[in-house]
Each structure stands twice: as C-alpha cells, then as structure tokens.
C-alpha cells in the first residue's frame, strides 16, 4: 500500500475519523464543552491577579484542533452559554460574567481559528502545531487582556501584568503538551490504516 493511501487527507480533523452522523456531531460538541468545563476546574489562583491558571485554554485549543472549526466553535459557544446561564463550570466552579470572561470569548475565537488551521493540516506535525497553538494563545490574550482591563478598570499595562505575564510559562507548557498530542494521534491513526 502506498504512503499516499495511508496518510490522512489534509482536510480531515481527528473527529472526522469517527463514522459521520448528526449524533456524532452533537456528542462531539457536548463532549468538547464538557471537557472545557472539566478542565476549568483545574484552577490555581495567581497572587496579584484576578485570573487563575486553569486547564481551559488547553482544552479549548485541543477541542478546536480535534473537532475542527465549526464543531469547535459550537462546543465553546455551548460552554460559554451554559456558564452564563448558571452552570458552575467556569474556572473554580463559577458561572456568569467576571473580569476573566474575556478569556472565554477569546477561547471561542481561538478554537475556531485553530480548528480551521487543523483542517489545513496544521495538526499533523509538531512544528505546525507549535505555530497553531501560539496563534491560538495569542488570540485568547488579544481578547482576554483588554476585557480584563475594561472590566477591572485597569490600565492596559496593569492588565498585561495581571492577565498575561504570569501565564506565559504555563501556557507554553500547555501548548507543548497539545503539540505532542495531536501529531502523535495522527501518527497512531496512520499506522492503523
């Protein structure tokens, strides 16, 4: 069998390997929202910041790359709407809006963008996945930090100090983990085909 026949088509994401159906898509969206909600419960307060370190960003980016843009968007919108409606699955078991809600809005956008990039093959190698994760993280901060500044009445430099700088190392580690997960999953899938 030729390598071309074994290699996944570039327009697939990992979720597309499951048999196609509406039930599959609904289950994937619900699962993506639930994964993000569970990951948000991994919450560590950061001294001097109203924003905790959580597993949300890792989950949101992983949901986007594995489900693709439309299902990733749907999963993160569902996550946000359920939290706004009172389901206590935002960071630390909270719900509703807070000074960190902008990060959730950024995760919606980031999940969509990384999902679109995954459809173009960005999830197939560590190098491409690194760029995809960095872009996703940048999008989350580009929305979250200004929202934090506005909602907490902080200057932009104070919002950067409280809502970006303390998280860079942790987000780099989360991105490194994601960089290993999906390319490894693709290698496994390609060996099984």
């Amino acid at each position: 069998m030729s390598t071309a026949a074994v290699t996944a088509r570039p327009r697939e994401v990992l979720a597309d390997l499951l048999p196609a159906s509406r039930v599959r898509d609904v289950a994937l969206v619900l699962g993506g929202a639930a994964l993000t909600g569970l990951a948000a419960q991994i919450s560590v307060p950061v001294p001097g910041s109203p924003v905790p370190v959580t597993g949300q960003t890792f989950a949101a980016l992983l949901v986007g790359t594995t489900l693709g843009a439309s299902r990733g968007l749907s999963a993160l919108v569902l996550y946000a709407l359920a939290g706004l409606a009172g389901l206590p699955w935002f960071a630390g078991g909270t719900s509703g809006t807070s000074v960190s809600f902008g990060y959730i809005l950024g995760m919606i956008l980031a999940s969509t963008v990384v999902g679109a990039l995954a459809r173009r093959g960005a999830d197939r190698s560590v190098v491409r996945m690194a760029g995809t994760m960095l872009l996703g993280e940048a999008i989350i901060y580009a929305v979250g930090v200004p929202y934090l500044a506005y909602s907490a009445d902080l200057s932009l430099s104070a919002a950067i100090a409280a809502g970006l700088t303390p998280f860079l190392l942790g987000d780099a580690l989360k991105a490194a983990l994601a960089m290993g997960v999906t390319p490894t999953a693709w290698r496994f899938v390609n060996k099984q085909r």
Side-chain angles (χ1 to χ4, degrees), residues 15-192:
D16 294 332
L17 301 175
L18 299 171
S21 74
R22 287 193 191 276
V23 172
R24 172 203 69 177
D25 289 341
V26 168
L28 289 171
V29 167
L30 290 172
L35 175 66
T36 307
L38 285 171
Q41 303 319 302
I42 301 167
S43 180
V44 179
V46 175
S49 176
V51 181
V53 170
T54 70
Q56 277 172 298
T57 54
F58 173 73
L61 296 175
L62 195 59
V63 165
T65 55
T66 58
L67 300 186
S70 63
R71 288 181 297 234
L73 169 67
S74 297
L76 270 290
V77 166
L78 176 62
Y79 168 71
L81 290 175
L84 287 173
L87 186 62
W89 68 349
F90 289 161
T94 62
S95 62
T97 58
S98 70
V99 296
S100 62
F101 189 70
Y103 296 95
I104 294 170
L105 296 174
M107 286 179 227
I108 293 170
L109 180 58
S111 180
T112 306
V113 170
V114 299
L117 292 172
R119 283 240 178 256
R120 290 167 177 77
D123 62 340
R124 304 300 199 279
S125 75
V126 172
V127 172
R128 288 185 288 183
M129 193 65 177
T132 301
M133 292 296 102
L134 290 174
L135 177 60
E137 292 286 352
I139 291 168
I140 292 168
Y141 286 120
V143 177
V145 171
Y147 186 98
L148 174 64
Y150 173 76
S151 63
D153 197 29
L154 299 172
S155 68
L156 187 56
S157 61
I160 289 169
L164 170 65
T165 308
F167 303 96
L168 293 176
L169 179 59
D171 282 343
L173 293 173
K174 288 184 253 182
L177 181 59
M179 289 172 356
V181 170
T182 54
T184 300
W186 277 114
R187 280 193 295 280
F188 176 77
V189 165
N190 288 332
K191 285 181 183 179
Q192 300 303 311

